[in-house]
Structures are given as C-alpha cells and as structure tokens.
Amino acid sequence: DGVPPLPQKFCATAEAEEEAPPIVASTAGKTVQPFILFPGLTVPQLEYKIDLPAHVSRPHFYCSRHTREWHKLYISASSLVPGLRDCFVYDFALQLDETTQTFVNATGVSVRIQDFGQVSSIMSMEILGKSTPIYASFINNATAAGWVAQSNMGTAQYDFRLDPESHIQHTDWLQRVQAMVEDLYTRNNNTRVHLVGHSMGSPFA
C-alpha cells in the first residue's frame, strides 16, 4: 500500500487521500506519524580518507597518499585548480568491480556518509565553500507541526555517487537504514514508519 502524502504545506504537489490511515504516534500533544526522508542528489555530505598502497600511483607527486583525519569530499574552489583537480577527481571517482559489476571507491580511498541519520545534516549544504539552505524550511515546518528529529523524524543519507545495488553489495547502508526504521518504530509505539523519497532519493526509499 502507498505511503500517505505529507500535509500540503510540506509539498506543493501533495494531494489528500480519501481514506488516510489513522495517526497514532503522539508528540507534545500533537499526533504525527514517524518518517524517514531520503534527500535529493548531492545533499548527503561525504567524508573521505586516503591510505594508498605503495604500488598505487597518484596523478601527481603532490597529491596526498595518506591522511590521518576524515575530510569533506565536495567541490571547492581549490578542487578546481589545474593539477589539484586531478587529485580530486581520483579521490571522487569510482571504479568498476568486475566480479559484481557494481562500482566501488578508488583503490586506497575510503568514503563515509557524514552524520548519517542526523536530520540537522541536511538542513543545508556547502557549495564552493558557501552554505546553502536545502531542507531547512521543510524541517522547520515539520518541527512546528509536531515532529521531533531523531524521535519520529529521521533521514537516510546515501553516497550519491553509488546506485542502490552498489550500496547493498559493498556497504552496510541497508543495515543502518533498517536499524533506524526499527528504532523509530519502537520509539513510536510500534507505529508504521513512512519512507519519503525526494528527487534522486526516491530509488533508495
């Protein structure tokens, strides 16, 4: 059965169903249903770390071969500088796994999703070093209507470079989403959790 739409003020194209299921979860005196939002393309923030084996070459000698800390993987002004751009492309690009016919990270590069499940992490995103509001209005309106982040409102970010099948084959993403669904289900008195996909987040939902 289909997921009931969000209220009109959250989605300009939402249409009310004739027979909506009963709303049973309750927060601060208001009845709401728990949901998890799968955001649009490039909204999830990624972090990367490098640890290249000795036999793997880099595009240039000044490209980092090892990093101790996790760094944000996004397009910045410095990533567009000739030469440094080649370093960025290597770290960002994917390789084809011939065995599973799915895509994986470049050799020696580890990538993870920053603040997975945290609603605050999709409020805005950095574009060329500037913070741009993305889901701030949606989340603020949902909060005003009674939803509470991490209690009955979550988000399932994903590695936007990968397709859903590659996530299942090479990461623990599906297990983390399942754990989040079960957590919200339990927190809200065994109430069905709705998966809400927006834009390119829809195939993951």
Side-chain angles (χ1 to χ4, degrees), residues 82-96:
L84 294 179
R85 177 179 56 200
D86 300 329
C87 306
F88 172 79
V89 169
Y90 180 91
D91 299 335
F92 192 84
L94 297 169
Q95 297 176 347
L96 178 65

Side-chain angles (χ1 to χ4, degrees), residues 17 94 131 154 167 169 203:
E17 293 186 344
L94 297 169
S131 179
H167 276 78
Q169 291 281 350

Side-chain angles (χ1 to χ4, degrees), residues 73-152:
L73 183 62
Y74 67 97
I75 299 176
S76 63
S78 61
S79 67
L80 301 178
V81 174
L84 294 179
R85 177 179 56 200
D86 300 329
C87 306
F88 172 79
V89 169
Y90 180 91
D91 299 335
F92 192 84
L94 297 169
Q95 297 176 347
L96 178 65
D97 184 318
E98 296 286 353
T99 302
T100 63
Q101 290 296 298
T102 55
F103 289 96
V104 296
N105 293 318
T107 302
V109 178
S110 299
V111 177
R112 70 180 185 184
I113 300 168
Q114 179 183 351
D115 299 327
F116 178 84
Q118 298 297 315
V119 173
S120 59
S121 68
I122 64 170
M123 297 276 283
S124 62
M125 65 179 293
E126 288 192 21
I127 301 177
L128 294 177
K130 294 184 178 181
S131 179
T132 302
I134 301 296
Y135 289 102
S137 294
F138 176 90
I139 294 170
N140 289 337
N141 285 334
T143 301
W147 277 273
V148 178
Q150 317 316 136
S151 292
N152 49 32

